[in-house]
Amino acid sequence: MIPIEKYYPEHRLLKHLIKYFWVLDSSRPVLLDHTILPTNNIDILFNFKAPMTFSRQGRMHSTPGNIYFKGVCVDPVNIKQQGPSQTIGVSFFPAGLYPFLNVPISEFKNETIGLDSLLNTIIPDLEEQLCQVETVPGKIRLIESFFIQQLNLQTSLTKETSAVLNHFYRSRLSVREFCRENGVHQKKLERAFNRFVGATPKQFFRLSRFQDIVRTILSSPRSDLTALAHEFEYFDQAHFIKDFKRFSGSSPLTFLKEKRAMKQIIDIKTVV
């Protein structure tokens, strides 16, 4: 099992936007061939060693440069890497990326984007500076400084919009039920989600539920599937299994047997 170390942002302005930094670091050659499951948030990857390739729906493609991210995607993605590995990931909260880019996050849906295509005057210098830093904590401090400089507080969520999105995050209500019970116009909610999160409220709801199911299955491998289906408010077990296959590419039992999901399976150790 390859350990992933996890660091939390230190600057107060980043704590509500960035969940954590994760690090995959191995001086020995590695052979990665894993499935990344869909999530309700976006990670930016800084890759310093062997190149990675991704395949989605049978299509393989190389990464666009060494610093890149994948927009919200509802399909599982296979990732491959062979050789020495040092990757730093920046895992954002669902609405955390927008204030750094000031571009509707829905524009990146199902796409892999090189950060230099959006910030072409800054990224080459950042890459050069990162290559001169030898330690992982030093690289993370530099990356954190970069995001502090990029942060545009004027484009951050208003308190009203933030409260609505956070309330929806925590609720298990469908979009229609949530809007009805909270007096929120559905179109307004959809615009906010597309702009700040990069997915529709319905997609976000399904992705969040899927993530909760994966966590439950991994923490309790012998979970009863029928009970899980009812717990997560599926009509029956058949609908639950169909939805799980849609996001993971396999049934719940096959998923557990093959341990296909990289970020969910690889041991994550918190460092600071």
Side-chain angles (χ1 to χ4, degrees):
M1 184 177 290
I2 304 171
I4 287 185
E5 296 179 340
K6 184 166 63 174
Y7 300 76
Y8 292 102
E10 295 183 357
H11 199 285
R12 62 178 182 82
L13 292 177
L14 300 181
K15 291 181 182 292
H16 70 291
L17 300 171
I18 296 175
K19 291 194 290 186
Y20 52 78
F21 303 91
W22 57 266
V23 179
L24 177 61
D25 191 12
S26 175
S27 57
R28 294 182 176 182
V30 300
L31 181 59
L32 292 181
D33 186 357
H34 290 282
T35 297
I36 305 293
L37 299 183
T39 61
N40 63 10
N41 70 301
I42 291 174
D43 288 15
I44 291 182
L45 273 62
F46 293 74
N47 185 28
F48 299 102
K49 293 192 177 178
M52 293 182 177
T53 59
F54 293 87
S55 61
R56 170 175 163 264
Q57 295 182 339
R59 292 182 176 181
M60 182 170 289
H61 57 88
S62 300
T63 56
N66 298 318
I67 305 175
Y68 53 90
F69 66 92
K70 181 172 287 296
V72 174
C73 181
V74 298
D75 299 313
V77 176
N78 182 260
I79 181 172
K80 292 185 179 181
Q81 184 181 39
Q82 185 172 358
S85 178
Q86 186 182 74
T87 302
I88 296 177
V90 185
S91 190
F92 293 85
F93 285 104
L97 181 57
Y98 179 82
F100 300 102
L101 299 182
N102 304 316
V103 177
I105 305 302
S106 59
E107 292 191 12
F108 312 123
K109 189 178 294 183
N110 296 322
E111 300 290 339
T112 303
I113 308 295
L115 203 56
D116 59 352
S117 67
L118 301 172
L119 306 170
N120 61 334
T121 61
I122 302 172
I123 296 304
D125 289 341
L126 176 62
E127 285 194 73
E128 185 176 340
Q129 293 172 34
L130 286 168
C131 288
Q132 294 172 0
V133 179
E134 295 184 359
T135 67
V136 166
K139 282 181 166 66
I140 290 176
R141 285 194 295 271
L142 182 56
I143 292 171
E144 186 165 334
S145 296
F146 163 74
F147 280 113
I148 293 170
Q149 293 170 9
Q150 284 299 119
L151 179 59
N152 186 342
L153 294 175
Q154 293 182 342
T155 63
S156 295
L157 280 73
T158 64
K159 289 185 178 180
E160 179 186 3
T161 302
S162 180
V164 171
L165 293 182
N166 286 328
H167 186 27
F168 186 83
Y169 295 162
R170 293 190 298 268
S171 78
R172 278 196 176 180
L173 298 174
S174 68
V175 178
R176 183 176 298 177
E177 291 171 333
F178 176 83
C179 291
R180 183 176 63 247
E181 292 190 11
N182 293 276
V184 177
H185 196 283
Q186 187 167 332
K187 289 293 184 182
K188 183 178 180 180
L189 185 68
E190 290 173 353
R191 285 195 297 269
F193 264 91
N194 278 305
R195 181 181 182 186
F196 295 109
V197 179
T200 66
K202 183 176 181 179
Q203 288 170 334
F204 180 86
F205 173 83
R206 294 181 65 205
L207 287 169
S208 300
R209 179 170 62 175
F210 172 69
Q211 285 180 264
D212 288 341
I213 291 169
V214 169
R215 281 191 286 265
T216 300
I217 290 176
L218 291 177
S219 62
S220 305
R222 296 184 180 180
S223 299
D224 178 78
L225 296 185
T226 301
L228 273 177
H230 289 303
E231 178 183 349
F232 289 97
E233 300 179 354
Y234 281 94
F235 181 73
D236 54 28
Q237 184 176 326
H239 283 81
F240 162 62
I241 293 175
K242 181 181 179 181
D243 216 34
F244 193 93
K245 283 184 176 180
R246 170 69 182 84
F247 288 124
S248 71
S250 64
S251 69
L253 293 178
T254 302
F255 167 78
L256 266 179
K257 184 178 180 180
E258 297 181 357
K259 295 187 175 180
R260 298 164 59 102
M262 181 180 175
K263 277 187 68 179
Q264 283 79 2
I265 298 294
I266 291 179
D267 183 33
I268 296 182
K269 178 175 64 176
T270 299
V271 177
V272 293

